[in-house]
Short mmCIF file of all heavy atoms in Angstrom, two decimals:
data_model
loop_
_atom_site.label_atom_id
_atom_site.label_comp_id
_atom_site.label_asym_id
_atom_site.label_seq_id
_atom_site.Cartn_x
_atom_site.Cartn_y
_atom_site.Cartn_z
N GLY A 1570 132.04 100.06 101.28
CA GLY A 1570 131.10 98.95 101.10
C GLY A 1570 129.93 98.88 102.06
O GLY A 1570 129.28 97.87 102.18
N ARG A 1571 129.62 100.04 102.73
CA ARG A 1571 128.57 100.07 103.75
C ARG A 1571 127.20 100.02 103.09
O ARG A 1571 126.93 100.57 102.02
CB ARG A 1571 128.72 101.30 104.61
CG ARG A 1571 130.00 101.35 105.42
CD ARG A 1571 130.12 100.21 106.40
NE ARG A 1571 129.21 100.33 107.55
CZ ARG A 1571 129.53 100.85 108.73
NH1 ARG A 1571 130.81 101.23 108.96
NH2 ARG A 1571 128.71 100.94 109.70
N SER A 1572 126.28 99.29 103.74
CA SER A 1572 124.94 99.29 103.24
C SER A 1572 123.93 99.89 104.25
O SER A 1572 122.74 100.00 103.94
CB SER A 1572 124.47 97.81 103.01
OG SER A 1572 124.63 97.00 104.20
N ASP A 1573 124.44 100.27 105.40
CA ASP A 1573 123.55 100.91 106.42
C ASP A 1573 123.45 102.42 106.15
O ASP A 1573 123.97 103.21 106.90
CB ASP A 1573 124.02 100.61 107.87
CG ASP A 1573 125.51 100.80 108.06
OD1 ASP A 1573 126.23 100.91 107.05
OD2 ASP A 1573 125.98 100.83 109.23
N LEU A 1574 122.71 102.76 105.12
CA LEU A 1574 122.73 104.15 104.58
C LEU A 1574 121.31 104.75 104.86
O LEU A 1574 120.33 104.08 105.10
CB LEU A 1574 123.00 104.11 103.08
CG LEU A 1574 124.28 103.36 102.67
CD1 LEU A 1574 124.33 103.37 101.13
CD2 LEU A 1574 125.53 103.93 103.34
N ASP A 1575 121.29 106.09 104.78
CA ASP A 1575 119.97 106.77 104.91
C ASP A 1575 119.21 106.80 103.62
O ASP A 1575 119.60 106.19 102.63
CB ASP A 1575 120.20 108.17 105.53
CG ASP A 1575 120.84 109.15 104.54
OD1 ASP A 1575 121.04 108.82 103.35
OD2 ASP A 1575 121.19 110.27 105.00
N SER A 1576 118.10 107.50 103.58
CA SER A 1576 117.20 107.45 102.40
C SER A 1576 117.85 108.12 101.26
O SER A 1576 117.33 107.92 100.07
CB SER A 1576 115.83 108.14 102.78
OG SER A 1576 116.06 109.49 103.17
N TYR A 1577 118.86 108.84 101.40
CA TYR A 1577 119.60 109.52 100.27
C TYR A 1577 120.84 108.82 99.91
O TYR A 1577 121.64 109.28 99.16
CB TYR A 1577 119.94 110.95 100.65
CG TYR A 1577 118.74 111.90 100.64
CD1 TYR A 1577 118.33 112.37 101.87
CD2 TYR A 1577 118.06 112.25 99.53
CE1 TYR A 1577 117.23 113.24 101.96
CE2 TYR A 1577 116.95 113.11 99.59
CZ TYR A 1577 116.54 113.60 100.80
OH TYR A 1577 115.46 114.44 100.89
N GLY A 1578 121.05 107.58 100.46
CA GLY A 1578 122.24 106.80 100.12
C GLY A 1578 123.49 107.28 100.81
O GLY A 1578 124.61 106.88 100.41
N ARG A 1579 123.34 107.99 101.92
CA ARG A 1579 124.48 108.55 102.64
C ARG A 1579 124.81 107.72 103.90
O ARG A 1579 123.85 107.27 104.56
CB ARG A 1579 124.17 109.99 103.07
CG ARG A 1579 123.90 110.91 101.88
CD ARG A 1579 123.50 112.31 102.37
NE ARG A 1579 122.27 112.27 103.23
CZ ARG A 1579 121.49 113.31 103.48
NH1 ARG A 1579 121.83 114.52 102.90
NH2 ARG A 1579 120.44 113.26 104.24
N PHE A 1580 126.03 107.60 104.20
CA PHE A 1580 126.49 106.94 105.41
C PHE A 1580 126.24 107.97 106.59
O PHE A 1580 126.76 109.05 106.59
CB PHE A 1580 128.00 106.61 105.37
CG PHE A 1580 128.50 105.95 106.62
CD1 PHE A 1580 127.94 104.73 107.06
CD2 PHE A 1580 129.57 106.46 107.27
CE1 PHE A 1580 128.47 104.09 108.18
CE2 PHE A 1580 130.08 105.86 108.46
CZ PHE A 1580 129.52 104.70 108.80
N PRO A 1581 125.37 107.65 107.56
CA PRO A 1581 124.99 108.55 108.55
C PRO A 1581 125.92 108.63 109.77
O PRO A 1581 126.57 107.62 110.08
CB PRO A 1581 123.58 108.08 108.97
CG PRO A 1581 123.62 106.61 108.79
CD PRO A 1581 124.52 106.41 107.63
N ALA A 1582 125.94 109.66 110.46
CA ALA A 1582 126.70 109.85 111.69
C ALA A 1582 126.32 108.78 112.71
O ALA A 1582 127.10 108.23 113.44
CB ALA A 1582 126.54 111.24 112.26
N SER A 1583 124.96 108.51 112.73
CA SER A 1583 124.52 107.49 113.71
C SER A 1583 125.04 106.16 113.56
O SER A 1583 125.02 105.34 114.50
CB SER A 1583 122.96 107.50 113.65
OG SER A 1583 122.48 107.12 112.40
N ALA A 1584 125.50 105.76 112.34
CA ALA A 1584 126.02 104.44 112.07
C ALA A 1584 127.57 104.44 112.31
O ALA A 1584 128.13 103.38 112.31
CB ALA A 1584 125.71 104.05 110.68
N SER A 1585 128.20 105.59 112.44
CA SER A 1585 129.66 105.66 112.53
C SER A 1585 130.14 105.31 113.91
O SER A 1585 129.42 105.42 114.88
CB SER A 1585 130.12 107.06 112.11
OG SER A 1585 129.78 107.98 113.16
N HIS A 1586 131.41 104.90 113.98
CA HIS A 1586 132.05 104.59 115.24
C HIS A 1586 132.08 105.79 116.11
O HIS A 1586 131.73 105.76 117.36
CB HIS A 1586 133.49 104.07 115.04
CG HIS A 1586 134.07 103.46 116.22
ND1 HIS A 1586 134.88 104.27 117.08
CD2 HIS A 1586 134.08 102.24 116.78
CE1 HIS A 1586 135.32 103.49 118.07
NE2 HIS A 1586 134.85 102.21 117.90
N ALA A 1587 132.36 106.96 115.54
CA ALA A 1587 132.45 108.21 116.32
C ALA A 1587 131.07 108.57 116.90
O ALA A 1587 130.98 109.05 117.96
CB ALA A 1587 133.00 109.38 115.44
N GLY A 1588 130.03 108.40 116.04
CA GLY A 1588 128.68 108.73 116.48
C GLY A 1588 128.24 107.78 117.58
O GLY A 1588 127.60 108.18 118.57
N LYS A 1589 128.61 106.50 117.52
CA LYS A 1589 128.20 105.52 118.49
C LYS A 1589 128.87 105.76 119.83
O LYS A 1589 128.34 105.45 120.92
CB LYS A 1589 128.44 104.11 118.01
CG LYS A 1589 127.61 103.65 116.82
CD LYS A 1589 127.98 102.30 116.40
CE LYS A 1589 127.04 101.84 115.22
NZ LYS A 1589 127.40 100.50 114.71
N HIS A 1590 130.15 106.28 119.76
CA HIS A 1590 130.89 106.38 121.02
C HIS A 1590 131.13 107.83 121.43
O HIS A 1590 131.97 108.09 122.41
CB HIS A 1590 132.30 105.64 120.82
CG HIS A 1590 132.15 104.16 120.62
ND1 HIS A 1590 131.98 103.31 121.78
CD2 HIS A 1590 132.12 103.35 119.61
CE1 HIS A 1590 131.88 102.10 121.26
NE2 HIS A 1590 131.91 102.06 119.96
N GLY A 1591 130.48 108.72 120.85
CA GLY A 1591 130.40 110.10 121.42
C GLY A 1591 131.60 110.94 121.15
O GLY A 1591 131.82 111.87 121.90
#
Side-chain angles (χ1 to χ4, degrees):
R1571 297 297 288 260
S1572 59
D1573 45 347
L1574 309 175
D1575 70 8
S1576 59
Y1577 290 110
R1579 303 174 299 199
F1580 181 57
S1583 57
S1585 70
H1586 190 269
K1589 292 177 179 179
H1590 293 280

